[in-house]
Amino acid sequence: MSLLSNDLLAGMNPPQREAVEYRGPALLIVAGAGSGKTRVLTHRIAGLIQNREAWPSQILAITFTNKAAAEMRERVEQLIGQASRGMWISTFHSACVRILRSEAERFGFTKAFTIYDSGDSKALIKRLVKQHEADSYGLTVSSVMGRISKLKNELADAESFARQANMSDPVERVFLEIFASYEREMRRANAFDFDDLIAQTVFLFRSFPEVADTYRRRFRHILVDEYQDTNHAQYALIHELTRPIEDRIAANDRSPAMLLPVMDAASLTVVGDSDQSIYAFRGADIRNISEFERDFPGAKVVLLEQNYRSTQNILSAANAVIGNNFDRLEKHLFTTAGDGQKITGFTGYSQHDEARFVAEEIEDLHRQGMAYGDIAVFYRTNSQTRALEELLIRSAIPYRVLGGTKFYERAEIKDAMAYLTSLANPYDPIAWSRLLGAPKRGIGPMAEAHLAMFQEAQGISFHEAMRRADEIGFGPKVRGAILELGGLLERAMRMALGGGGADAEGQEKRPAPVAEVLKLILDETEMIEKLRAKRDPQDEARAENLEELVSVAREFDVRNPGAGLLEFLTEVSLVAAADELDDRSGTVSLMTLHTAKGLEFPAVFITGVEEGLLPHQMSVDEVGGVNEERRLMYVGITRARQRLFITLASTRASYGDIGVALPSRFLQEIPDHLIDWRQSPGEVTSRGGTESRALNAPRGEGGRYGGRPSRPSGRAESSVAFGRGGASSGSAALAEPASGGMQSALDTWRERKRLAKEAQAAGGGFPNMVGASIRDNGDLELAPGDRIRHEDYGEGRVTGITGEGSKRVAHAVFDSVGERKLLVKLSPIKKI
DNA sequence: CCAGGGGCGTTTTTT
DNA sequence: ACGCCCCTGG
């Protein structure tokens, strides 16, 4: 008795159907990795609309990243078209911003509040730590920040904290003072930090039940994705929204019995997988999902266990690893896709050796017809990207790094954004203080302090304080600079508020496009010109970043006609690492295991699978830390569709010096027969490694890795080249790339990376990664038939040349490793 | 007030 | 090894 039209249920397995069709107050979908949960969610939403069970405006679907929200919106749109308009499909944070923007005035903020990113919060906390001389109590900026964040995620504020804190401890007292000042300053600045967005929305609902009721009345169907990652504040928010609406007039009778429900609670659907909970460190509470049935009595639970993504070998490895977490609900992922290929394992001597293997395997996959965009490389920590990038550049493999230093965190971008932020919220001291010094214009800390004092005493905005600089008494030079800047802000403000230049008859009150406001600021401050005038080559890239920001603003204006600064600032504040993925066409994706969650790729490399790195050293001492790391490994494995590579190194440089690395315990949890070792950990040490085997041997069942002959594989001989091949110039040379003849021509790593970036931005296509300024192999003449010597591969013959100038690529066949593609300009090659 | 150099802390993961 | 912060000298 299907309620739904067949096309919404076509091709679904029975539990999937049930998850789409079930109707009731609460539904928990336990969705194993790759079990089609997004499909289930989108079809469930489409069903509600198609069946006329709900209006689009009654639907609230919540995800963790903008990327996931965008994908869900797109897929719902594919199913029901225009009817999807009016739904809220967004992240927790953007949904809360939307609510707060319209309700902020009720509790002392304005709708133009600023959203502080962690850098902004840090700047403020830093100031407070200094003011309270908290470092003498052992309080650091990051510890204070972490603690405040944690408290907010638990919905504590300074007041509630004070009630239960141990006030006889002076450290606690100082911390409390800082916490309280932080709250005061945020209020004065008209700003919220990331954690506030959620917590303040909960406070809003609790203090203004009638406000909460309007949202309860509106959202009749609430769906939450990645429920295992919700923290307490997010959990409370969902709870507030799913309360029944009560009759408040009756409640005024002081008789609780008169609190009659007048409207049922909204229906709640949550999707999650406790095996993929990897955000405990930022307050995610796994109990939110494991105790769902207790929280919502009568809840229906549906298990999705059939995996549609990976081969059986990959799933078996994933199941084996996660099976070592004892505190979990047993799940059995299965597939009908067949075994597929084995997992490939490789152990390098160093992270460079490991990276070289990754680069070579990527090339092999590519040669076999796999698109670069179908390949991803994962790692535990961002610092691991260096070695990987170096080898990818050298091998002329196009790649992009997701996450890492984000565009909007760059200093020059933050400088420019500070102007826009300050226009929207002239009471924000962080933005204002930032723009004063960018670019340098002679307004220093002294001048800033005087202005700030004046601003506070007069109760005016920072902008007005600047316009009245005469009343403070600065030297003529400083005063001039302040007045000029104040004038610029005033003009920009007028433009942002109403009518960029439109002055004819009807005074247009429409805001000017964001790009034009930004352009005015950049032009008048000459930020770009000043950067270009400097000698540091990095500054050219910075200037380009600012130009890029203008085009970002332009795109925004086109996408959101009539929208103003506020919308732009909100969007910029809430973009996340995984959101950048859109244009992954033709490039290999590098990212942390955390960023990888929710994504999938035909081929996946998990690198650095070593004790101390995965599991990370920091986690080993924490309660439950290793289990969370194991889930991280599980997430990584289950991203792979067909091919999985697991790599590690036997030595790894950290903090500047090199140490021995041991194979990860997780590696030993994968059954032997699933891995095809190109070079096992045992082989590395027994054949030329620098450490004794005993040091490298895994604990427990000894000898698992020891000296086992590598399996016959199509490329058995190539493993020779990776490690020991041209013994004289093997990985040792790689580890010290600056040594000797050819290598001395190479510039520093930074320079190369910068050039690669420049070229990638300029030409779009790869491999045009090298600028003209670098001195190296650029003029090396090569023609088909030439013999060459490569520092790592030994001798070979050139078979062809493609590309021109600095992006010339030599195709060569090496005696030891076979066919390779090399960027002439950067590869360690010599004609012989 | 600012530029450049030396010293120090850093690397767990992020909305 | 790197980047950031602080301090000094101009």
Side-chain angles (χ1 to χ4, degrees), chain A residues 97-129:
Chain A
V97 169
R98 229 166 135 174
I99 294 169
L100 288 173
R101 288 246 189 257
S102 53
E103 314 290 344
E105 254 112 55
R106 291 172 195 273
F107 59 112
F109 291 82
T110 80
K111 65 182 307 174
F113 60 80
T114 307
I115 301 166
Y116 276 12
D117 67 16
S118 28
D120 300 326
S121 306
K122 195 172 177 180
L124 176 52
I125 288 175
K126 197 169 182 176
R127 215 184 71 209
L128 296 175
V129 165

PDB file of all heavy atoms in Angstrom, chain A residues 97-129:
ATOM      1  N   VAL A  97      21.699  31.693  11.684  1.00  0.00           N
ATOM      2  CA  VAL A  97      21.950  33.081  11.295  1.00  0.00           C
ATOM      3  C   VAL A  97      20.658  33.706  10.780  1.00  0.00           C
ATOM      4  O   VAL A  97      20.305  34.829  11.113  1.00  0.00           O
ATOM      5  CB  VAL A  97      23.040  33.170  10.203  1.00  0.00           C
ATOM      6  CG1 VAL A  97      23.099  34.573   9.617  1.00  0.00           C
ATOM      7  CG2 VAL A  97      24.385  32.786  10.782  1.00  0.00           C
ATOM      8  N   ARG A  98      19.936  32.929   9.999  1.00  0.00           N
ATOM      9  CA  ARG A  98      18.697  33.442   9.439  1.00  0.00           C
ATOM     10  C   ARG A  98      17.709  33.798  10.539  1.00  0.00           C
ATOM     11  O   ARG A  98      17.061  34.848  10.502  1.00  0.00           O
ATOM     12  CB  ARG A  98      18.095  32.358   8.553  1.00  0.00           C
ATOM     13  CG  ARG A  98      17.698  32.894   7.210  1.00  0.00           C
ATOM     14  CD  ARG A  98      17.439  31.766   6.270  1.00  0.00           C
ATOM     15  NE  ARG A  98      16.208  32.049   5.542  1.00  0.00           N
ATOM     16  CZ  ARG A  98      15.767  31.280   4.545  1.00  0.00           C
ATOM     17  NH1 ARG A  98      16.441  30.200   4.197  1.00  0.00           N
ATOM     18  NH2 ARG A  98      14.661  31.590   3.922  1.00  0.00           N
ATOM     19  N   ILE A  99      17.600  32.906  11.505  1.00  0.00           N
ATOM     20  CA  ILE A  99      16.688  33.170  12.619  1.00  0.00           C
ATOM     21  C   ILE A  99      17.176  34.374  13.420  1.00  0.00           C
ATOM     22  O   ILE A  99      16.422  35.293  13.736  1.00  0.00           O
ATOM     23  CB  ILE A  99      16.563  31.925  13.509  1.00  0.00           C
ATOM     24  CG1 ILE A  99      15.873  30.793  12.727  1.00  0.00           C
ATOM     25  CG2 ILE A  99      15.782  32.250  14.784  1.00  0.00           C
ATOM     26  CD1 ILE A  99      15.919  29.445  13.406  1.00  0.00           C
ATOM     27  N   LEU A 100      18.467  34.387  13.701  1.00  0.00           N
ATOM     28  CA  LEU A 100      19.002  35.469  14.538  1.00  0.00           C
ATOM     29  C   LEU A 100      18.903  36.825  13.842  1.00  0.00           C
ATOM     30  O   LEU A 100      18.642  37.842  14.486  1.00  0.00           O
ATOM     31  CB  LEU A 100      20.452  35.182  14.911  1.00  0.00           C
ATOM     32  CG  LEU A 100      20.670  34.057  15.927  1.00  0.00           C
ATOM     33  CD1 LEU A 100      22.149  33.754  16.091  1.00  0.00           C
ATOM     34  CD2 LEU A 100      20.052  34.414  17.273  1.00  0.00           C
ATOM     35  N   ARG A 101      19.115  36.859  12.548  1.00  0.00           N
ATOM     36  CA  ARG A 101      19.024  38.137  11.852  1.00  0.00           C
ATOM     37  C   ARG A 101      17.635  38.743  12.023  1.00  0.00           C
ATOM     38  O   ARG A 101      17.495  39.950  12.129  1.00  0.00           O
ATOM     39  CB  ARG A 101      19.333  37.979  10.357  1.00  0.00           C
ATOM     40  CG  ARG A 101      20.793  37.713  10.040  1.00  0.00           C
ATOM     41  CD  ARG A 101      21.469  38.853   9.273  1.00  0.00           C
ATOM     42  NE  ARG A 101      22.797  38.478   8.817  1.00  0.00           N
ATOM     43  CZ  ARG A 101      23.949  38.865   9.387  1.00  0.00           C
ATOM     44  NH1 ARG A 101      23.933  39.659  10.432  1.00  0.00           N
ATOM     45  NH2 ARG A 101      25.102  38.468   8.911  1.00  0.00           N
ATOM     46  N   SER A 102      16.623  37.885  12.036  1.00  0.00           N
ATOM     47  CA  SER A 102      15.302  38.504  12.146  1.00  0.00           C
ATOM     48  C   SER A 102      14.854  38.702  13.595  1.00  0.00           C
ATOM     49  O   SER A 102      13.914  39.443  13.835  1.00  0.00           O
ATOM     50  CB  SER A 102      14.259  37.717  11.337  1.00  0.00           C
ATOM     51  OG  SER A 102      14.275  36.377  11.700  1.00  0.00           O
ATOM     52  N   GLU A 103      15.521  38.060  14.538  1.00  0.00           N
ATOM     53  CA  GLU A 103      15.065  38.202  15.918  1.00  0.00           C
ATOM     54  C   GLU A 103      16.057  38.904  16.842  1.00  0.00           C
ATOM     55  O   GLU A 103      15.758  39.125  18.019  1.00  0.00           O
ATOM     56  CB  GLU A 103      14.759  36.816  16.524  1.00  0.00           C
ATOM     57  CG  GLU A 103      13.951  35.876  15.638  1.00  0.00           C
ATOM     58  CD  GLU A 103      12.503  36.316  15.469  1.00  0.00           C
ATOM     59  OE1 GLU A 103      12.038  37.164  16.266  1.00  0.00           O
ATOM     60  OE2 GLU A 103      11.848  35.828  14.537  1.00  0.00           O
ATOM     61  N   ALA A 104      17.216  39.242  16.342  1.00  0.00           N
ATOM     62  CA  ALA A 104      18.296  39.710  17.219  1.00  0.00           C
ATOM     63  C   ALA A 104      17.904  40.939  18.033  1.00  0.00           C
ATOM     64  O   ALA A 104      18.372  41.136  19.152  1.00  0.00           O
ATOM     65  CB  ALA A 104      19.544  40.003  16.402  1.00  0.00           C
ATOM     66  N   GLU A 105      17.037  41.767  17.451  1.00  0.00           N
ATOM     67  CA  GLU A 105      16.698  43.011  18.126  1.00  0.00           C
ATOM     68  C   GLU A 105      16.010  42.793  19.479  1.00  0.00           C
ATOM     69  O   GLU A 105      16.023  43.670  20.329  1.00  0.00           O
ATOM     70  CB  GLU A 105      15.803  43.864  17.221  1.00  0.00           C
ATOM     71  CG  GLU A 105      16.549  45.051  16.621  1.00  0.00           C
ATOM     72  CD  GLU A 105      16.750  44.933  15.121  1.00  0.00           C
ATOM     73  OE1 GLU A 105      15.744  44.746  14.409  1.00  0.00           O
ATOM     74  OE2 GLU A 105      17.895  45.036  14.647  1.00  0.00           O
ATOM     75  N   ARG A 106      15.444  41.601  19.640  1.00  0.00           N
ATOM     76  CA  ARG A 106      14.761  41.327  20.898  1.00  0.00           C
ATOM     77  C   ARG A 106      15.705  41.234  22.077  1.00  0.00           C
ATOM     78  O   ARG A 106      15.291  41.360  23.219  1.00  0.00           O
ATOM     79  CB  ARG A 106      14.027  39.978  20.828  1.00  0.00           C
ATOM     80  CG  ARG A 106      12.871  39.978  19.903  1.00  0.00           C
ATOM     81  CD  ARG A 106      12.353  38.562  19.762  1.00  0.00           C
ATOM     82  NE  ARG A 106      11.466  38.489  18.618  1.00  0.00           N
ATOM     83  CZ  ARG A 106      10.167  38.764  18.714  1.00  0.00           C
ATOM     84  NH1 ARG A 106       9.636  39.079  19.854  1.00  0.00           N
ATOM     85  NH2 ARG A 106       9.422  38.702  17.633  1.00  0.00           N
ATOM     86  N   PHE A 107      16.952  40.940  21.816  1.00  0.00           N
ATOM     87  CA  PHE A 107      17.836  40.801  22.979  1.00  0.00           C
ATOM     88  C   PHE A 107      19.159  41.540  22.818  1.00  0.00           C
ATOM     89  O   PHE A 107      20.220  41.042  23.151  1.00  0.00           O
ATOM     90  CB  PHE A 107      18.027  39.339  23.377  1.00  0.00           C
ATOM     91  CG  PHE A 107      18.618  38.445  22.313  1.00  0.00           C
ATOM     92  CD1 PHE A 107      19.884  37.917  22.477  1.00  0.00           C
ATOM     93  CD2 PHE A 107      17.909  38.128  21.174  1.00  0.00           C
ATOM     94  CE1 PHE A 107      20.434  37.075  21.510  1.00  0.00           C
ATOM     95  CE2 PHE A 107      18.443  37.296  20.208  1.00  0.00           C
ATOM     96  CZ  PHE A 107      19.705  36.765  20.374  1.00  0.00           C
ATOM     97  N   GLY A 108      19.036  42.759  22.316  1.00  0.00           N
ATOM     98  CA  GLY A 108      20.176  43.649  22.412  1.00  0.00           C
ATOM     99  C   GLY A 108      21.202  43.558  21.307  1.00  0.00           C
ATOM    100  O   GLY A 108      22.304  44.081  21.452  1.00  0.00           O
ATOM    101  N   PHE A 109      20.876  42.888  20.225  1.00  0.00           N
ATOM    102  CA  PHE A 109      21.761  42.910  19.059  1.00  0.00           C
ATOM    103  C   PHE A 109      21.005  43.565  17.915  1.00  0.00           C
ATOM    104  O   PHE A 109      19.798  43.817  18.027  1.00  0.00           O
ATOM    105  CB  PHE A 109      22.168  41.485  18.669  1.00  0.00           C
ATOM    106  CG  PHE A 109      23.088  40.827  19.659  1.00  0.00           C
ATOM    107  CD1 PHE A 109      22.587  40.228  20.808  1.00  0.00           C
ATOM    108  CD2 PHE A 109      24.461  40.808  19.450  1.00  0.00           C
ATOM    109  CE1 PHE A 109      23.435  39.622  21.721  1.00  0.00           C
ATOM    110  CE2 PHE A 109      25.312  40.201  20.357  1.00  0.00           C
ATOM    111  CZ  PHE A 109      24.798  39.612  21.495  1.00  0.00           C
ATOM    112  N   THR A 110      21.706  43.873  16.834  1.00  0.00           N
ATOM    113  CA  THR A 110      20.974  44.336  15.658  1.00  0.00           C
ATOM    114  C   THR A 110      21.094  43.276  14.577  1.00  0.00           C
ATOM    115  O   THR A 110      21.940  42.378  14.677  1.00  0.00           O
ATOM    116  CB  THR A 110      21.536  45.652  15.093  1.00  0.00           C
ATOM    117  OG1 THR A 110      22.696  45.364  14.309  1.00  0.00           O
ATOM    118  CG2 THR A 110      21.892  46.619  16.208  1.00  0.00           C
ATOM    119  N   LYS A 111      20.254  43.410  13.568  1.00  0.00           N
ATOM    120  CA  LYS A 111      20.277  42.387  12.524  1.00  0.00           C
ATOM    121  C   LYS A 111      21.597  42.391  11.754  1.00  0.00           C
ATOM    122  O   LYS A 111      21.906  41.453  11.045  1.00  0.00           O
ATOM    123  CB  LYS A 111      19.095  42.575  11.573  1.00  0.00           C
ATOM    124  CG  LYS A 111      19.163  43.881  10.784  1.00  0.00           C
ATOM    125  CD  LYS A 111      17.953  44.042   9.893  1.00  0.00           C
ATOM    126  CE  LYS A 111      17.752  42.816   9.018  1.00  0.00           C
ATOM    127  NZ  LYS A 111      16.522  42.882   8.249  1.00  0.00           N
ATOM    128  N   ALA A 112      22.355  43.465  11.903  1.00  0.00           N
ATOM    129  CA  ALA A 112      23.620  43.579  11.171  1.00  0.00           C
ATOM    130  C   ALA A 112      24.792  43.007  11.956  1.00  0.00           C
ATOM    131  O   ALA A 112      25.931  43.342  11.689  1.00  0.00           O
ATOM    132  CB  ALA A 112      23.888  45.033  10.821  1.00  0.00           C
ATOM    133  N   PHE A 113      24.523  42.127  12.911  1.00  0.00           N
ATOM    134  CA  PHE A 113      25.622  41.592  13.722  1.00  0.00           C
ATOM    135  C   PHE A 113      26.721  40.970  12.855  1.00  0.00           C
ATOM    136  O   PHE A 113      26.458  40.471  11.767  1.00  0.00           O
ATOM    137  CB  PHE A 113      25.106  40.571  14.730  1.00  0.00           C
ATOM    138  CG  PHE A 113      24.412  39.369  14.128  1.00  0.00           C
ATOM    139  CD1 PHE A 113      25.155  38.313  13.609  1.00  0.00           C
ATOM    140  CD2 PHE A 113      23.032  39.298  14.092  1.00  0.00           C
ATOM    141  CE1 PHE A 113      24.518  37.213  13.061  1.00  0.00           C
ATOM    142  CE2 PHE A 113      22.392  38.198  13.544  1.00  0.00           C
ATOM    143  CZ  PHE A 113      23.131  37.150  13.025  1.00  0.00           C
ATOM    144  N   THR A 114      27.927  41.036  13.382  1.00  0.00           N
ATOM    145  CA  THR A 114      29.058  40.405  12.708  1.00  0.00           C
ATOM    146  C   THR A 114      29.185  38.963  13.171  1.00  0.00           C
ATOM    147  O   THR A 114      28.876  38.663  14.327  1.00  0.00           O
ATOM    148  CB  THR A 114      30.367  41.120  13.080  1.00  0.00           C
ATOM    149  OG1 THR A 114      30.219  42.509  12.833  1.00  0.00           O
ATOM    150  CG2 THR A 114      31.541  40.593  12.270  1.00  0.00           C
ATOM    151  N   ILE A 115      29.637  38.086  12.288  1.00  0.00           N
ATOM    152  CA  ILE A 115      29.945  36.720  12.690  1.00  0.00           C
ATOM    153  C   ILE A 115      31.465  36.613  12.815  1.00  0.00           C
ATOM    154  O   ILE A 115      32.176  36.786  11.832  1.00  0.00           O
ATOM    155  CB  ILE A 115      29.427  35.705  11.652  1.00  0.00           C
ATOM    156  CG1 ILE A 115      27.914  35.862  11.481  1.00  0.00           C
ATOM    157  CG2 ILE A 115      29.784  34.288  12.083  1.00  0.00           C
ATOM    158  CD1 ILE A 115      27.361  35.159  10.267  1.00  0.00           C
ATOM    159  N   TYR A 116      31.945  36.361  14.018  1.00  0.00           N
ATOM    160  CA  TYR A 116      33.386  36.236  14.231  1.00  0.00           C
ATOM    161  C   TYR A 116      33.842  34.838  13.853  1.00  0.00           C
ATOM    162  O   TYR A 116      33.282  33.850  14.333  1.00  0.00           O
ATOM    163  CB  TYR A 116      33.732  36.484  15.708  1.00  0.00           C
ATOM    164  CG  TYR A 116      33.875  37.949  16.063  1.00  0.00           C
ATOM    165  CD1 TYR A 116      33.470  38.944  15.187  1.00  0.00           C
ATOM    166  CD2 TYR A 116      34.435  38.334  17.273  1.00  0.00           C
ATOM    167  CE1 TYR A 116      33.603  40.283  15.509  1.00  0.00           C
ATOM    168  CE2 TYR A 116      34.578  39.668  17.618  1.00  0.00           C
ATOM    169  CZ  TYR A 116      34.156  40.642  16.723  1.00  0.00           C
ATOM    170  OH  TYR A 116      34.298  41.948  17.053  1.00  0.00           O
ATOM    171  N   ASP A 117      34.847  34.752  13.021  1.00  0.00           N
ATOM    172  CA  ASP A 117      35.434  33.439  12.784  1.00  0.00           C
ATOM    173  C   ASP A 117      36.460  33.183  13.883  1.00  0.00           C
ATOM    174  O   ASP A 117      36.691  34.039  14.738  1.00  0.00           O
ATOM    175  CB  ASP A 117      36.031  33.329  11.381  1.00  0.00           C
ATOM    176  CG  ASP A 117      37.241  34.217  11.190  1.00  0.00           C
ATOM    177  OD1 ASP A 117      37.812  34.694  12.181  1.00  0.00           O
ATOM    178  OD2 ASP A 117      37.615  34.438  10.030  1.00  0.00           O
ATOM    179  N   SER A 118      37.074  32.008  13.850  1.00  0.00           N
ATOM    180  CA  SER A 118      37.932  31.679  14.992  1.00  0.00           C
ATOM    181  C   SER A 118      39.109  32.645  15.108  1.00  0.00           C
ATOM    182  O   SER A 118      39.576  32.914  16.217  1.00  0.00           O
ATOM    183  CB  SER A 118      38.409  30.235  14.934  1.00  0.00           C
ATOM    184  OG  SER A 118      38.472  29.784  13.627  1.00  0.00           O
ATOM    185  N   GLY A 119      39.550  33.177  13.976  1.00  0.00           N
ATOM    186  CA  GLY A 119      40.625  34.160  14.045  1.00  0.00           C
ATOM    187  C   GLY A 119      40.209  35.426  14.771  1.00  0.00           C
ATOM    188  O   GLY A 119      40.971  35.983  15.571  1.00  0.00           O
ATOM    189  N   ASP A 120      38.994  35.876  14.511  1.00  0.00           N
ATOM    190  CA  ASP A 120      38.491  37.071  15.182  1.00  0.00           C
ATOM    191  C   ASP A 120      38.344  36.829  16.684  1.00  0.00           C
ATOM    192  O   ASP A 120      38.749  37.658  17.504  1.00  0.00           O
ATOM    193  CB  ASP A 120      37.132  37.476  14.608  1.00  0.00           C
ATOM    194  CG  ASP A 120      37.204  37.785  13.117  1.00  0.00           C
ATOM    195  OD1 ASP A 120      38.254  38.314  12.678  1.00  0.00           O
ATOM    196  OD2 ASP A 120      36.251  37.496  12.406  1.00  0.00           O
ATOM    197  N   SER A 121      37.747  35.680  17.020  1.00  0.00           N
ATOM    198  CA  SER A 121      37.592  35.357  18.445  1.00  0.00           C
ATOM    199  C   SER A 121      38.950  35.319  19.119  1.00  0.00           C
ATOM    200  O   SER A 121      39.122  35.806  20.236  1.00  0.00           O
ATOM    201  CB  SER A 121      36.945  33.984  18.632  1.00  0.00           C
ATOM    202  OG  SER A 121      35.750  33.900  17.926  1.00  0.00           O
ATOM    203  N   LYS A 122      39.878  34.723  18.407  1.00  0.00           N
ATOM    204  CA  LYS A 122      41.212  34.596  18.969  1.00  0.00           C
ATOM    205  C   LYS A 122      41.818  35.961  19.254  1.00  0.00           C
ATOM    206  O   LYS A 122      42.419  36.183  20.305  1.00  0.00           O
ATOM    207  CB  LYS A 122      42.089  33.825  17.979  1.00  0.00           C
ATOM    208  CG  LYS A 122      43.366  33.319  18.582  1.00  0.00           C
ATOM    209  CD  LYS A 122      44.052  32.415  17.582  1.00  0.00           C
ATOM    210  CE  LYS A 122      45.387  31.926  18.116  1.00  0.00           C
ATOM    211  NZ  LYS A 122      46.043  31.041  17.149  1.00  0.00           N
ATOM    212  N   ALA A 123      41.649  36.887  18.317  1.00  0.00           N
ATOM    213  CA  ALA A 123      42.199  38.231  18.505  1.00  0.00           C
ATOM    214  C   ALA A 123      41.613  38.877  19.754  1.00  0.00           C
ATOM    215  O   ALA A 123      42.330  39.502  20.548  1.00  0.00           O
ATOM    216  CB  ALA A 123      41.902  39.080  17.271  1.00  0.00           C
ATOM    217  N   LEU A 124      40.305  38.693  19.914  1.00  0.00           N
ATOM    218  CA  LEU A 124      39.656  39.289  21.077  1.00  0.00           C
ATOM    219  C   LEU A 124      40.135  38.619  22.369  1.00  0.00           C
ATOM    220  O   LEU A 124      40.494  39.299  23.340  1.00  0.00           O
ATOM    221  CB  LEU A 124      38.136  39.158  20.925  1.00  0.00           C
ATOM    222  CG  LEU A 124      37.271  39.632  22.086  1.00  0.00           C
ATOM    223  CD1 LEU A 124      37.639  41.044  22.505  1.00  0.00           C
ATOM    224  CD2 LEU A 124      35.794  39.581  21.692  1.00  0.00           C
ATOM    225  N   ILE A 125      40.167  37.295  22.365  1.00  0.00           N
ATOM    226  CA  ILE A 125      40.585  36.579  23.573  1.00  0.00           C
ATOM    227  C   ILE A 125      42.036  36.900  23.912  1.00  0.00           C
ATOM    228  O   ILE A 125      42.400  37.048  25.076  1.00  0.00           O
ATOM    229  CB  ILE A 125      40.368  35.068  23.390  1.00  0.00           C
ATOM    230  CG1 ILE A 125      38.870  34.785  23.432  1.00  0.00           C
ATOM    231  CG2 ILE A 125      41.086  34.275  24.482  1.00  0.00           C
ATOM    232  CD1 ILE A 125      38.485  33.375  23.147  1.00  0.00           C
ATOM    233  N   LYS A 126      42.817  37.057  22.888  1.00  0.00           N
ATOM    234  CA  LYS A 126      44.210  37.406  23.108  1.00  0.00           C
ATOM    235  C   LYS A 126      44.319  38.716  23.881  1.00  0.00           C
ATOM    236  O   LYS A 126      45.088  38.847  24.830  1.00  0.00           O
ATOM    237  CB  LYS A 126      44.877  37.561  21.746  1.00  0.00           C
ATOM    238  CG  LYS A 126      46.363  37.525  21.786  1.00  0.00           C
ATOM    239  CD  LYS A 126      46.810  37.426  20.353  1.00  0.00           C
ATOM    240  CE  LYS A 126      48.291  37.330  20.244  1.00  0.00           C
ATOM    241  NZ  LYS A 126      48.661  37.151  18.843  1.00  0.00           N
ATOM    242  N   ARG A 127      43.545  39.684  23.444  1.00  0.00           N
ATOM    243  CA  ARG A 127      43.543  40.975  24.125  1.00  0.00           C
ATOM    244  C   ARG A 127      43.135  40.801  25.594  1.00  0.00           C
ATOM    245  O   ARG A 127      43.743  41.362  26.495  1.00  0.00           O
ATOM    246  CB  ARG A 127      42.570  41.909  23.412  1.00  0.00           C
ATOM    247  CG  ARG A 127      43.022  43.360  23.400  1.00  0.00           C
ATOM    248  CD  ARG A 127      41.961  44.238  22.770  1.00  0.00           C
ATOM    249  NE  ARG A 127      40.796  44.367  23.626  1.00  0.00           N
ATOM    250  CZ  ARG A 127      39.556  44.577  23.178  1.00  0.00           C
ATOM    251  NH1 ARG A 127      39.329  44.668  21.889  1.00  0.00           N
ATOM    252  NH2 ARG A 127      38.560  44.704  24.021  1.00  0.00           N
ATOM    253  N   LEU A 128      42.102  40.006  25.805  1.00  0.00           N
ATOM    254  CA  LEU A 128      41.595  39.835  27.165  1.00  0.00           C
ATOM    255  C   LEU A 128      42.588  39.083  28.044  1.00  0.00           C
ATOM    256  O   LEU A 128      42.766  39.414  29.219  1.00  0.00           O
ATOM    257  CB  LEU A 128      40.253  39.087  27.135  1.00  0.00           C
ATOM    258  CG  LEU A 128      39.123  39.851  26.430  1.00  0.00           C
ATOM    259  CD1 LEU A 128      37.878  38.998  26.332  1.00  0.00           C
ATOM    260  CD2 LEU A 128      38.820  41.152  27.163  1.00  0.00           C
ATOM    261  N   VAL A 129      43.227  38.072  27.461  1.00  0.00           N
ATOM    262  CA  VAL A 129      44.217  37.319  28.230  1.00  0.00           C
ATOM    263  C   VAL A 129      45.327  38.264  28.678  1.00  0.00           C
ATOM    264  O   VAL A 129      45.818  38.197  29.809  1.00  0.00           O
ATOM    265  CB  VAL A 129      44.779  36.158  27.388  1.00  0.00           C
ATOM    266  CG1 VAL A 129      46.058  35.599  28.008  1.00  0.00           C
ATOM    267  CG2 VAL A 129      43.743  35.042  27.267  1.00  0.00           C
TER     268      VAL A 129
END
